[in-house]
Each structure stands twice: as C-alpha cells, then as structure tokens.
Amino acid sequence: MTINFKDKVAIVTGAGGGLGREYALELAKRGAKVVVNDLGGARDGTGHSDAALKVVEEIKAAGGEAMSNGGSVTEYEQMVEMVAKAKEAWGGVHILINNAGILRDKSFTKMEMADWKLVVDVHLNGSANCTKAVWDTMREQNYGRILMTASSTGLYGNFGQTNYGAAKLGLAGFTKSLYLEGAKYNVKCNTLAPIAATRMTEDILPPAAFAMFDPVNVVPAALFLVSEDAPANVIMGAGAGFFHTANVTMTQGMLLSGDDLSPEGVAANFAQISDRTGEIVPQSGGEQSMQAMKLLQAKAG
C-alpha cells in the first residue's frame, strides 16, 4: 500500500532546514499542499533567514504546492494567522508536524533561567500554540494528524540539557492526553524522537555518526505517523534506518498495610514494588487507579 497525501494540507514548523525541510519535501512529493514555517536564524533561536522561501521554491520546482510562513511558534496569534492563510488558500489543515526547536545547552548549575524559559517556550509552548491554532479546524472536519517532536533527552535524559529534556518529555505527556481528546473526531496524535544529524546536533554527534544520521532517514517514521491509517498515542524513535517504540510503563506493584505502610516498609519491599515482571503499558492515567483498586479488591475477596 502506497502512503500518499493527495488533497491533504500540511503545516511543518521549523521546516527551513534539517528534519523539517525533509518532511516538507516528502509530503509535497506525495501530494500534500505544504505550509513551510520557519522563523529562520541560528540554532539558539537568534537571527532571521529566508530559509522557508528556499524550501518552497524547491517544492514548486518539483511540481508541488507550498507557501512559506515566517511566524514564530511562540506567538499564538501568528500561528492562528498562519492557519487562516492555509485555510483561505486550500480549504483546511489536515496535518501538523510540530518540529520547530532551539538549543541552549548548559549544565543546570550554569544555566540562566532565561535559557530554561526560552527552550520550554519554543518546544513545549510553541507546539501547544500551533496545535491550538489547528485544533478546532481538525475537529470540525473530522480529520487531523498531529505529530510532536520529542527526543531521547526527554525520554531518557542527557547531561547539560535539563531545559530541553523537560520540554521534550512534556511534549510526550501533551500527546498522551491530547490523543484521548481527539479520538472521537478522528484526530490522531503521536510523538517522534528523531536521531538525526542537523545543525542542532552537529557538535553532539561524532563526525562518523553525523554522516550516518541523515535527516532523510527519519522521514519514513514521521510520514507514517501522520498518514491516514496512522496509529495514535505512539512514541517512535527513528534514525539511520533504526526504528523503535518507547512506552511509559507501570509495574504490577503491591499493597502495603500495617507496619509496612511506612517509609521503612516501602524500603523493605522496593525490590518487589519495582519488579518489571508483567509490566503494564497504560493507555490513560486512570489505569494507575484501576490497578490499585484491582489489588484492593483481590485482598478484600
């Protein structure tokens, strides 16, 4: 089965280069009309460029349809205006890939709170702004595909990236509630954790690895996750031909009572509490309470 995006309108943020550019080019190649959003500038978010215009020119030269947008994801009204222009030109918005991002890497000891706030604002709040701007449209048309860009830093941690990690795991959490709200409207939400050689990772990845992790190799995962038959509530990692899923899990746990219902009891039973045998992959937060009730009922019965 060939995945195509004919008659679909897609917005890709941060699409002036790197991953976003590759997403935009392939979406257009497969029939989508694409809004190429990019504020431009350096990877720390400073400066401006005409990067979005260049990607639009590439798409048009290949026979596709696209428009550029220079709005900042941190400005909600600019994102609302971007969506309005897409709808005016093409009638709707069916796909949103939240890809825009910056880095301000420092150990937490040396980090200024301004660097914390800016990274969280661009990645987490910026994705919320874009998603809010398209949300009602997607609900009304009973179709939407939204992709958040997380990171292994958010999922697993990385020294010197506390701000980035907090924002990226926040996006995974955002998706996990958003997919529940979108389900009845055929709005599917997923999360992607790319492994890619871009300007944001050029001094993080070793030179040999940098060459292997071409952003184009992340595209198959991204486009699958925004396709018509996409799953929902998936966290997928991708890079260099390697694909995996990640899950937020919960152990079976145990009930404590009497003298064991104490800090000392938790310490004494921690091995069993944290035993991953029969691990659960909850699909909503309510399953935590359900597991507690299950154990309580078993004890009472």
Side-chain angles (χ1 to χ4, degrees), residues 9-234:
V9 176
I11 294 173
V12 184
T13 67
L19 287 163
R21 172 180 173 273
E22 298 298 340
Y23 300 155
L25 291 174
E26 189 63 21
L27 282 164
K29 181 180 177 182
R30 290 173 178 258
K33 301 173 178 68
V34 183
V35 178
V36 180
N37 164 267
D38 201 286
L39 184 62
R43 70 177 184 174
D44 66 356
T46 59
H48 297 273
S49 78
D50 59 356
L53 286 170
K54 291 179 180 177
V55 177
V56 168
E57 288 170 4
E58 283 187 74
I59 290 171
K60 289 183 175 180
E65 292 187 59
M67 70 169 69
S68 66
N69 178 272
S72 171
V73 297
T74 62
E75 300 295 332
Y76 174 64
E77 293 305 324
Q78 292 182 22
M79 295 300 95
V80 170
E81 183 181 1
M82 174 180 68
V83 171
K85 287 180 177 177
K87 290 175 67 176
E88 181 183 357
W90 296 319
V93 177
H94 307 93
I95 296 163
L96 170 64
I97 299 182
N98 285 306
N99 173 72
I102 63 169
L103 289 178
R104 293 288 180 93
D105 291 354
K106 286 182 180 177
S107 68
F108 195 63
T109 296
K110 298 178 180 178
M111 184 178 295
E112 300 290 338
M113 287 311 295
D115 290 334
W116 173 281
K117 291 176 181 177
L118 182 60
V119 167
V120 171
D121 199 25
V122 172
H123 289 275
L124 182 56
N125 296 334
S127 295
N129 285 335
C130 297
T131 301
K132 182 66 174 175
V134 302
W135 190 250
D136 286 345
T137 294
M138 289 183 173
R139 280 173 32 121
E140 288 164 8
Q141 67 196 12
N142 203 45
Y143 189 97
R145 301 292 181 265
I146 298 173
L147 186 62
M148 308 294 178
T149 304
S151 166
S152 60
T153 297
L155 299 175
Y156 313 118
N158 197 31
F159 186 92
Q161 291 193 310
T162 51
N163 49 3
Y164 183 72
K168 289 305 194 182
L169 190 56
L171 285 167
F174 180 29
T175 304
K176 285 190 166 295
S177 288
L178 196 68
Y179 102 95
L180 292 168
E181 295 189 21
K184 68 181 287 187
Y185 302 100
N186 191 27
V187 180
K188 296 182 178 181
C189 307
N190 291 294
T191 305
L192 180 64
I195 316 169
T198 68
R199 65 178 182 169
M200 287 180 64
T201 57
E202 61 188 351
D203 53 7
I204 297 172
L205 290 171
F210 191 85
M212 293 170 59
F213 290 103
D214 191 311
V216 74
N217 294 320
V218 179
V219 173
L223 267 62
F224 165 68
L225 292 173
V226 297
S227 66
E228 187 163 353
D229 294 323
N233 192 31
V234 168

Side-chain angles (χ1 to χ4, degrees), residues 247 249-252 271-280:
N247 294 286
T249 66
M250 184 175 77
T251 64
Q252 291 283 335
Q272 184 175 341
I273 292 169
S274 59
D275 183 359
R276 300 185 68 173
T277 304
E279 206 164 41
I280 302 162

